[in-house]
Structures are given as structure tokens and as C-alpha cells.
Amino acid sequence: MMMFRLLAAVLAALLPIVPAAAADAELARLARASGTPEIPGLNIVWLAPWGDVRNARPWRNIIVHQTEGPAGSARGGAQAQAKNPTRRGVTVWVETDGTVYWAVAENLVPTHGDGANRNDNKYIDNRSTYRQVVRDNSIGVEFAGNYPDVTAGPTEAQVVAWKILVKVLRARYDIPPDRVYAHNWIDYKDARYCEGCILATLAREWGE
């Protein structure tokens, strides 16, 4: 009887883990797909579908950006980016309601970042980032909406979407959590706020 109770307790403890593991495995599978996959929990507008991941840029880092555009500006930014992929901007845009716009093909490099010019170790140790975490090896994600208050953080919907999106990006390009960077961590940006810091910190905590 005692052995039966012990077995039941072990199974009960494992039950929450099994569905979570299955969900993670399915997410990892979808993250390596081509085309315009439907990813549970994400509303993605595909302006540029995925190709074969083997033909994508060898992205080694993720840089989190925030734009001073108002709510609704991610759509316009993503559409302009899709028309001119290498303009100043990013590959992925996230609206205040959590909608994700995949704007640029994975083998193209938008102009983002300032060459990883930060070397004061203010937020992180910059010895491994200075002039190394740059647009050619980093996929950029832009979160819209901190206007007119640039100190406003991401919306709850953006955080919810980011938790799934960053898992997808990390799984697709095999990027470890410690290679998710806030823009302010690697470049000298607007001193009024820390661009991308909340989101990058969350991504690292979730990845631990």
C-alpha cells in the first residue's frame, strides 16, 4: 500500500512536467519550420516568411530595441522595413497589443545598433560585446509604444508575447540566454531610460 501511495505521489509530481515538456518540444519543432507556421500563443503577421533555417544568417545574438513610436506604430515600421529591408530598423517588430510582425527575410541584415560601442561596463561586462555584438551577427527585435513617455516599460501583452517569441528565436538560431542583449547594454543610447533592459533581463531569467 505504501509503495502504491509513493508511486501515485511520484506520478502526480510528474504530471505538470510532462505537458510542459511536450509543449516545449512542439515549440522547438515549429521554431525550425519553414513558411508561415502558426505558433501557439503568438499572433504573427508574416511580411517575410521563413525559409530553410540552414540558409538564414548565422545569428549569434538577439538585440532588444524599443522605439519611441506610439501604439500602432509597429505595423508601419514593419511594413516600411519589408519594403526596404536594409534600412535602419530590425527584422522583428512587436506591437503594444503583442502582435508580432516578421518583416525581413532571415538572410538579410537591417541596419540596427551602433557597432557595439559601449565599453564602460555600466550594465554588463562589455569585454565580450565591445565591437562584437553587431548587426551582422545579431537579430533585432523592436518593441513599439514608449511614446510620449520614453521611460514607460513594455506592455503586459508585449511581455507575454516576448516570453514565447524569445524561446522561438533562441530555438531557431541556437542562441543561449546570455546572448540576449538590451540595446543600452551594448551601445550608448538615450540616457533618460534603459532601452530594452527589462525585456532582455526577463529573457535571461526565463532561460535559466
Side-chain angles (χ1 to χ4, degrees):
M1 188 69 176
M2 183 176 291
M3 182 62 70
F4 176 79
R5 284 200 296 267
L6 179 61
L7 180 60
V10 170
L11 288 174
L14 287 176
L15 279 176
I17 298 174
V18 174
D24 286 345
E26 175 62 8
L27 189 66
R29 184 189 69 79
L30 289 170
R32 304 291 291 181
S34 300
T36 58
E38 291 188 14
I39 298 174
L42 282 184
N43 176 24
I44 302 183
V45 177
W46 295 96
L47 302 178
W50 281 346
D52 188 325
V53 70
R54 292 171 295 183
N55 297 326
R57 293 279 308 179
W59 303 120
R60 299 179 56 232
N61 314 290
I62 300 168
I63 301 178
V64 186
H65 300 267
Q66 286 177 279
T67 176
E68 293 181 38
S73 61
R75 179 186 177 191
Q79 288 175 334
Q81 196 77 54
K83 291 177 182 176
N84 183 9
T86 59
R87 73 191 285 269
R88 189 165 184 84
V90 296
T91 300
V92 187
W93 298 69
V94 184
E95 188 47 73
T96 53
D97 66 359
T99 300
V100 175
Y101 293 87
W102 197 285
V104 178
E106 303 167 286
N107 61 336
L108 300 177
V109 182
T111 301
H112 71 114
D114 298 308
N117 61 14
R118 182 159 223 135
N119 61 353
D120 62 354
N121 303 319
K122 181 176 181 179
Y123 298 104
I124 60 173
D125 186 342
N126 292 124
R127 285 177 298 179
S128 63
T129 68
Y130 183 63
R131 302 301 188 196
Q132 297 178 65
V133 179
V134 293
R135 67 188 185 192
D136 296 291
N137 60 24
S138 306
I139 189 165
V141 184
E142 186 86 67
F143 288 80
N146 61 340
Y147 173 87
D149 179 10
V150 295
T151 65
T155 66
E156 183 179 343
Q158 285 177 323
V159 172
V160 170
W162 176 231
K163 189 168 188 178
I164 302 170
L165 176 61
V166 73
K167 280 186 179 181
V168 170
L169 293 174
R170 289 187 50 232
R172 185 164 181 82
Y173 306 116
D174 195 23
I175 298 173
D178 62 354
R179 285 189 171 272
V180 181
Y181 299 98
H183 198 185
N184 253 75
W185 293 355
I186 61 166
D187 286 321
Y188 291 101
K189 300 302 299 177
D190 193 328
R192 294 173 296 170
Y193 74 112
C194 189
E195 183 186 336
C197 295
I198 294 173
L199 293 158
T201 299
L202 286 172
R204 291 190 175 202
E205 291 175 352
W206 293 329
E208 289 178 353

